[in-house]
Amino acid sequence: MEKQQRALLEKTERKVFFFSDVHLGAGSKKEEQLKEERLIKFLNAIKHHASEIYILGDLFDYWFEYKTVVPKGFYKLFTMFSELRDNGVRLFFIAGNHDYWIGNYFRDEFGMEIHYEPFEKVILGKRFYLHHGDGLIKNDVGYKILKCILRNRVNIVLYSWLHPDCSSKIARWSSRQSRNYTSNRQYEEDGMVKFAAEKIKEGFDFVVMGHNHQPGMTPLGNGIYVNLGEWMEKPTYGVFDGEKMVLKKWLR
């Protein structure tokens, strides 16, 4: 099976890859080891065929970066990131609602381009609008208030004064609550498609998001809304060749 996937990926020479919502750290130690290994196999398979890789948020279920301390684990994945960089692959990371508190570590160690807000990018001649996808539920006042609190600079500094062992316990509990909350929302009816349609009216060819863990491609006017799905249970990823964007499953 893995040989078949590698053969298919060989046809995607120098293309652009997208994925989101891996949520590393969300499960048991064994579950997370398997998840990390699965992601590393994928990245290893595309390292000679990708020009750019976009991670659209929630790579981690929780990540809070202190000035001199980063969360424990993920050594194998970080080694893979270094290998991708050394192979000339450009890496982009949009902070999600679970890993918004990244600092300079990924930029300094792996050369990643970090974005804390949605951004637009011309990729192989097409206009892309890239967004994690959070905050687009219609009338979701509660989340919007929470988002402002969690992303407030003063609150982030105050939180950083907590011991990492204490702060991680609080954050992991909060992450579980957030994930359960997210899974019960009807995103397509509450704003993501509508938001994508507006962006396409502005002239974007593709609007790419994650967050709601529901992969799909929706033609809207002269463009396409792409949701990348997730990597927790049924891993999916996007590939763009300069003309066509496709969603693929990563078979275990």
Side-chain angles (χ1 to χ4, degrees):
M1 187 69 71
E2 188 173 334
K3 289 183 178 179
Q4 292 176 344
Q5 288 185 316
R6 194 176 295 275
L8 287 172
L9 286 166
E10 286 176 357
K11 299 179 181 180
T12 62
E13 197 83 29
R14 311 317 294 173
K15 295 182 180 180
V16 179
F17 292 79
F18 306 77
F19 69 92
S20 71
D21 293 87
V22 185
H23 289 276
L24 288 167
S28 68
K29 184 176 181 180
K30 183 177 181 179
E31 289 172 337
E32 294 313 302
Q33 286 177 338
L34 292 173
K35 191 192 300 180
E36 185 179 19
E37 288 173 4
R38 184 168 63 219
L39 179 60
I40 289 170
K41 285 182 180 179
F42 165 69
L43 294 173
N44 189 56
I46 69 173
K47 67 183 179 183
H48 296 300
H49 314 295
S51 58
E52 298 176 342
I53 297 174
Y54 291 81
I55 305 169
L56 266 64
D58 288 357
L59 175 62
F60 303 97
D61 198 57
Y62 162 67
W63 182 275
F64 190 92
E65 187 175 322
Y66 294 79
K67 288 184 178 180
T68 57
V69 177
V70 296
K72 180 181 177 181
F74 316 116
Y75 172 78
K76 293 180 181 179
L77 177 62
F78 293 162
T79 300
M80 189 71 246
F81 284 153
S82 295
E83 193 171 340
L84 289 166
R85 177 201 59 202
D86 294 344
N87 275 280
V89 180
R90 296 186 65 195
L91 302 171
F92 299 81
F93 188 172
I94 296 180
N97 56 303
H98 283 260
D99 49 20
Y100 179 80
W101 307 277
I102 54 179
N104 298 327
Y105 183 75
F106 293 95
R107 183 196 68 191
D108 295 343
E109 295 295 324
F110 316 117
M112 285 189 181
E113 184 174 310
I114 305 298
H115 291 267
Y116 295 91
E117 301 295 339
F119 71 103
E120 58 183 83
K121 186 98 166 48
V122 176
I123 302 175
L124 300 181
K126 298 293 184 179
R127 288 187 69 196
F128 277 71
Y129 191 84
L130 304 169
H131 192 314
H132 174 58
D134 60 318
L136 298 180
I137 307 175
K138 185 178 180 181
N139 297 327
D140 193 359
V141 178
Y143 177 77
K144 291 177 180 177
I145 293 173
L146 179 61
K147 183 176 179 179
C148 290
I149 294 171
L150 294 177
R151 299 192 177 193
N152 180 274
R153 289 180 180 272
V154 174
N155 291 336
I156 292 172
V157 171
L158 292 174
Y159 189 77
S160 71
W161 292 353
L162 294 174
H163 189 281
D165 289 345
C166 178
S167 64
S168 65
K169 288 181 180 179
I170 295 172
R172 292 185 192 286
W173 174 85
S174 177
S175 289
R176 287 194 296 271
Q177 301 306 310
S178 175
R179 191 165 54 253
N180 292 336
Y181 175 80
T182 297
S183 65
N184 292 324
R185 301 302 300 229
Q186 297 298 317
Y187 283 90
E188 280 74 16
E189 296 178 3
D190 283 323
M192 292 180 83
V193 169
K194 188 176 292 185
F195 177 86
E198 290 300 318
K199 286 297 176 183
I200 288 169
K201 286 180 182 178
E202 293 176 16
F204 289 95
D205 299 296
F206 297 92
V207 177
V208 186
M209 292 187 266
H211 187 57
N212 72 349
H213 299 185
Q214 298 177 31
M217 298 184 64
T218 306
L220 298 169
N222 294 322
I224 298 176
Y225 160 52
V226 182
N227 192 289
L228 297 170
E230 46 83 19
W231 274 70
M232 299 183 73
E233 296 180 3
K234 299 178 180 179
T236 52
Y237 63 97
V239 187
F240 180 61
D241 64 2
E243 291 295 331
K244 185 170 64 174
M245 180 83 162
V246 295
L247 275 179
K248 295 186 176 184
K249 295 180 180 179
W250 178 252
L251 305 176
R252 306 185 188 190

